[in-house]
Amino acid sequence: MLRLLNVNPPEYYPIIDKLFAGRIREAVEAFGASLEELTVLVQPEERVLNLVFLLKVRGLRRFLSMEVDPFVYGLLEKLASDATETLGKVYGVRFSISGFKVVDEGPEEARPEKTPKLIVNGPEKIKETLERLGKGLVITLREWNVEFSALAVTVPFEEPHVLTIVLRTDRLLSPEEKGELEKKIRYKAGTYIKTLTKRVFPLEVKIIDPEDKALASILKRKVEIEKEAEELAQSEEVRELMGLLRKGTPGS
């Protein structure tokens, strides 16, 4: 659950929390940034739930070299489509993105050209370990002559603690090159983290080149989305709320 999630009308909080907030946070954290606050305005119109999002983030622009707004719009559209295909199908409701705004809470950090940026994000008790892992990977990538602008090493603050490594390359890579580099990074990172912690972390590696938005790989698997939607559909509160859509617009 996102701590700073505001939903208006508040009746829609469980739906936004389950189907949108967590996955938005996951996508932002995968880039080594953080979602500071999320406000969602729900505007029911017959069988359509029009959604307006305000995202307050910190550090997203320093890693995401592509335009932030198209990235966020693509993310929200994907989430709305998944919500329509899962919970929406149960009640005959469609989710639609009516608008959004992204506010960056932190200024971009100036850094010398050609100096790769290391971004570390995770629970305080393992933050130092993640930083050592990131520094080791930076050295290794340079030894491999990989041209990259940023490396993010992140572990979610809540379970499951999956170690995610995102590498932003400076040039386009073929699928074969990406696959090979992912394998090498996975092996090296696994060796490092086991040496540092004496334990094995679930590990994900994502490589983003200048034309890769990587939305699909960042989002949760479809089966997890369907499970969350099923839990919502069984909620008496949600059933009553969706039933009201046939009679009017709750909270309007």
Side-chain angles (χ1 to χ4, degrees):
M1 179 184 294
L2 182 67
R3 292 180 182 176
L4 294 177
L5 171 62
N6 308 301
V7 180
N8 186 22
E11 294 93 329
Y12 291 94
Y13 186 100
I15 295 173
I16 299 301
D17 182 38
K18 281 280 189 180
L19 300 183
F20 290 87
R23 297 174 69 200
I24 292 172
R25 182 185 62 184
E26 179 186 358
V28 170
E29 287 183 351
F31 285 97
S34 62
L35 181 61
E36 301 290 309
E37 186 175 341
L38 177 64
T39 299
V40 184
L41 174 63
V42 183
Q43 300 171 322
E45 184 179 354
E46 296 182 349
R47 308 299 291 172
V48 178
L49 291 177
N50 297 298
L51 308 177
V52 179
F53 290 80
L54 171 62
L55 295 83
K56 292 184 179 180
V57 300
R58 187 178 301 277
L60 185 59
R61 296 180 191 277
R62 70 184 178 183
F63 182 79
L64 196 65
S65 63
M66 69 189 78
E67 289 296 321
V68 169
D69 284 355
F71 167 80
V72 172
Y73 178 72
L75 172 64
L76 296 179
E77 280 289 308
K78 171 63 175 171
L79 299 184
S81 174
D82 287 345
T84 299
E85 287 297 310
T86 52
L87 185 68
K89 274 191 173 180
V90 177
Y91 294 104
V93 173
R94 181 168 64 88
F95 292 80
S96 176
I97 305 302
S98 292
F100 72 95
K101 182 178 181 181
V102 181
V103 178
D104 197 330
E105 294 287 273
E108 294 187 28
E109 300 178 4
R111 59 187 179 91
E113 289 297 321
K114 302 297 183 181
T115 302
K117 179 69 180 179
L118 174 61
I119 302 157
V120 176
N121 194 27
E124 196 61 38
K125 62 181 180 180
I126 61 171
K127 193 78 172 288
E128 183 178 348
T129 299
L130 296 179
E131 289 176 352
R132 292 174 65 187
L133 169 63
K135 290 175 181 177
L137 288 175
V138 167
I139 293 172
T140 297
L141 288 165
R142 284 173 170 168
E143 291 175 349
W144 292 345
N145 295 318
V146 176
E147 298 175 12
F148 67 104
S149 56
L151 176 72
V153 178
T154 67
V155 170
F157 286 85
E158 300 175 1
E159 295 285 355
H161 291 314
V162 178
L163 172 61
T164 300
I165 296 169
V166 182
L167 177 70
R168 170 73 191 191
T169 63
D170 291 337
R171 67 179 183 86
L172 295 178
L173 300 177
S174 69
E176 293 76 15
E177 288 177 308
K178 275 189 180 181
E180 185 61 29
L181 185 54
E182 284 178 2
K183 288 180 183 178
K184 291 172 66 177
I185 293 174
R186 184 183 303 277
Y187 175 78
K188 185 61 70 172
T191 301
Y192 279 161
I193 199 68
K194 188 175 181 180
T195 300
L196 291 170
T197 66
K198 308 302 181 185
R199 56 180 287 199
V200 177
F201 273 83
L203 178 62
E204 292 184 7
V205 177
K206 308 182 195 326
I207 296 178
I208 304 174
D209 64 30
E211 290 186 357
D212 185 5
K213 297 187 178 181
L215 279 179
S217 63
I218 292 171
L219 301 179
K220 288 183 178 178
R221 296 188 302 273
K222 186 176 181 181
V223 64
E224 295 174 350
I225 303 163
E226 291 173 344
K227 181 180 178 182
E228 291 174 345
E230 183 179 347
E231 292 174 355
L232 283 171
Q234 293 173 353
S235 164
E236 183 65 30
E237 180 183 356
V238 171
R239 282 201 296 266
E240 291 178 1
L241 183 61
M242 291 301 178
L244 289 174
L245 288 177
R246 296 188 179 93
K247 304 173 184 178
T249 53
S252 63

